Amino acid sequence: QVQLQQWGAGLLKPSANLSLTCAVYGGSFNGYYWSWIRQPPGKGLEWIGEINHSGSTNYNPSLKSRVTISVDTSKSQISLKVRSVTGADTAVYYCARLGTRFLKECSGTSCYNGNYRYGMDVWGQGTTVSVSS
Amino acid sequence: DIVMTQSPDSLAVSLGERATINCKSSQNILYNSNNRNYLSWYQQKPGQPPKLLIYWASTRESGVPDRFSGGGSGTDFTLTISSLQAEDVAIYYCQQYYSTPRTFGQGTKLEIK
C-alpha cells in the first residue's frame, strides 16, 4: 500500500524560503503525477503544482513565480520550495498522488484502452507551516 | 483556469435523511479520450487530509460506503449521501483534474440537524 511521508520546517519568518519534502513508500513512483496542495487555516484547498518522475511540471499561475517543485527518483521523493514567504503562505501543506486507473471498454463505435487519471487517491499526513515574525 | 463552484456552503441534515451537494464547473470537463468527466469528490474531517470518495464523477472509490453516490456530466455535478450517518459530518470538496491548475470547489460543510 502506497504511503506518503512528508517533512520540513514548520515555522518561518517573513521573506524566508519554505522547503518541504515528500517521500513515497510501498509502491511505484514512476507513471504518476505528484502534487502539492495547501490549506490555509479554516479555508479550502489550493493546488500548488505537480511533477512526474521525468521532472515534467505544472504550476498554479497564482504561485508560479515563487514556487519550484523538484523530483529525486533515486529516493522516490518530491520537494517543494516557496520563495519569500509571507503570512499568506501560512497553511497546512499536503503532497498527494494523482492516481490512474486502467480502463478498457467499448461504447458504440468508440473504444477506450489505457491508464487514465482519476483523482488524488493517496495523501501525505500534512505539514503545518506558519509564517510569523 | 476552470472555476469550481459548490452549493450550498453549508448544509444541516437530520440523521437518516438525504444530503445533496452541488458542484458547477466553468467549463466542460468531459474528457473525450475515455468519455469520463474528470471530477472527483473528497471528504475532509478535522485534522485529516482529504479522502477520495468519488472519481470520474460517479464511480465510488474502493471501500467507500454505497450511501455515497455521484452524478452529473459536462459542467453540473452532484454528491448525494442517501442516508446521513453521524460519521459523515465533514467538509466535502469537488475537484476537476481535466486541466491545470487542478482546481477545487470552495467546500461544503455538512452538519447534523
Side-chain angles (χ1 to χ4, degrees), chain B residues 42-45 88-93 106-110:
Chain B
Y42 301 87
Q43 175 193 65
Q44 187 179 33
K45 297 181 179 180
D88 301 332
V89 169
I91 300 176
Y92 293 83
Y93 296 93
Q106 79 276 18
T108 296
K109 186 174 185 179
L110 178 59

Side-chain angles (χ1 to χ4, degrees), chain B residues 70-89:
Chain B
S73 184
T75 61
D76 291 281
F77 304 91
T78 58
L79 173 69
T80 300
I81 307 172
S82 60
S83 177
L84 189 70
Q85 305 299 303
E87 61 265 33
D88 301 332
V89 169

Side-chain angles (χ1 to χ4, degrees), chain B residues 30-82:
Chain B
L30 177 65
Y31 193 57
N32 290 331
S33 294
N34 64 357
N35 197 37
R36 294 295 192 274
N37 290 278
Y38 273 23
L39 179 116
S40 285
W41 288 96
Y42 301 87
Q43 175 193 65
Q44 187 179 33
K45 297 181 179 180
Q48 297 182 19
K51 173 188 174 183
L52 177 63
L53 297 177
I54 302 285
Y55 61 92
W56 292 339
S58 60
T59 305
R60 261 189 311 277
E61 175 71 319
S62 176
V64 173
D66 61 6
R67 63 180 181 274
F68 291 91
S69 63
S73 184
T75 61
D76 291 281
F77 304 91
T78 58
L79 173 69
T80 300
I81 307 172
S82 60

Side-chain angles (χ1 to χ4, degrees), chain A residues 38-104:
Chain A
R38 70 181 184 179
Q39 186 170 36
K43 296 189 177 181
L45 300 164
E46 180 180 32
W47 183 83
I48 299 170
E50 65 185 14
I51 191 167
N52 69 3
H53 68 281
S54 301
S56 177
T57 54
N58 295 299
Y59 294 111
N60 191 325
S62 67
L63 295 166
K64 186 175 183 177
S65 63
R66 296 193 297 126
V67 168
T68 300
I69 297 175
S70 58
V71 63
D72 185 340
T73 55
S74 68
K75 297 180 180 179
S76 296
Q77 292 178 359
I78 63 169
S79 295
L80 170 71
K81 294 189 190 305
V82 181
R83 292 176 290 279
S84 302
V85 297
T86 69
D89 296 307
T90 294
V92 176
Y93 286 74
Y94 296 100
C95 56
R97 184 179 77 174
L98 181 57
T100 60
R101 289 273 185 195
F102 181 75
L103 182 64
K104 183 176 182 178

